[in-house]
Amino acid sequence: AMAGTIAASIWLYIPLVTVFKTNWPHSENNRSSAPKRVPIGKELRTATALFMISGFAALMYEVVFSKALALTFGSTATATYTVLATYMGGIAIGAWLGGRLASARGNPLVLYAGCELVIAVYCALTPMIFIGLKTAYVFLASDIQPDASVLTVYRLFLGVGALILPTIFMGMTLPLMARFFEDRAERLGKSVAI
């Protein structure tokens, strides 16, 4: 599925680039009047590509986590809104923490890589985490009526507990990458200015 999505993205991207190049005011026909462009540089292109791939992976994790919670809690709205609320809340907390961390003026690319490493390790451990989550849920839910409202509370707290850590680190990546680009703002601005 992931290879198909990547292939479809590339298949859609190539025609868009062609259209923009032919309709851009400073295309090859108007190159003489166009200002000189400063090359972005391999470092910025690589960082941008990694950030985009990371964002795509985060969306894939969201789907996987949602399906895993549905297997544990049943296909209920609880599983879906737990994942959605945790993702939004975790990313918001992470963005706040990442902004504070980025303003500390450490190397933002190293901090970004650290966040990605934590996310990767967590996601590699996800099968074991969700087995533990299922075991805890079965233990807590045994001898309770299926329609008891306390089960919703258990589902919510177990789901948030399982997903809050990676979503916080996912949220931290944007401010760190923004700091990385801000430190190179002059070169980046000249490369994209018209």
Side-chain angles (χ1 to χ4, degrees):
M2 186 189 276
T5 304
I6 292 170
S9 298
I10 292 170
W11 181 74
L12 290 171
Y13 177 74
I14 291 171
L16 284 174
V17 170
T18 306
V19 168
F20 279 118
K21 279 187 174 181
T22 57
N23 294 327
W24 194 254
H26 300 293
S27 64
E28 296 298 324
N29 302 337
N30 299 331
R31 184 62 72 182
S32 60
S33 64
K36 294 287 182 191
R37 293 185 64 188
V38 177
I40 292 177
K42 186 176 180 180
E43 179 186 46
L44 295 176
R45 283 194 307 267
T46 302
T48 301
L50 289 174
F51 187 68
M52 292 176 67
I53 291 168
S54 166
F56 178 75
L59 292 173
M60 296 298 288
Y61 292 142
E62 182 178 6
V63 172
V64 169
F65 292 155
S66 180
K67 298 299 180 186
L69 283 181
L71 287 174
T72 302
F73 301 149
S75 291
T76 63
T78 305
T80 303
Y81 72 67
T82 298
V83 171
L84 184 61
T86 304
Y87 253 74
M88 295 300 112
I91 287 175
I93 293 167
W96 177 74
L97 290 173
R100 294 180 63 101
L101 190 62
S103 66
R105 294 281 184 187
N107 185 341
L109 205 53
V110 170
L111 296 171
Y112 175 82
C115 288
E116 291 295 339
L117 182 63
V118 169
I119 295 166
V121 168
Y122 187 89
C123 289
L125 296 174
T126 296
M128 291 175 276
I129 291 168
F130 277 98
I131 288 171
L133 179 79
K134 187 173 190 176
T135 304
Y137 181 65
V138 168
F139 175 77
L140 291 170
S142 61
D143 299 329
I144 296 178
Q145 293 295 323
D147 60 345
S149 59
V150 72
L151 289 180
T152 302
V153 174
Y154 290 160
R155 291 174 187 148
L156 182 66
F157 280 106
L158 288 171
V160 169
L163 301 179
I164 196 69
L165 181 69
T167 57
I168 287 174
F169 279 93
M170 288 174 191
M172 290 172 70
T173 59
L174 178 62
L176 293 172
M177 192 57 73
R179 169 61 73 185
F180 172 75
F181 283 117
E182 181 183 353
D183 291 344
R184 289 144 186 85
E186 183 178 331
R187 194 170 56 174
L188 179 65
K190 288 181 181 178
S191 69
V192 296
I194 296 177

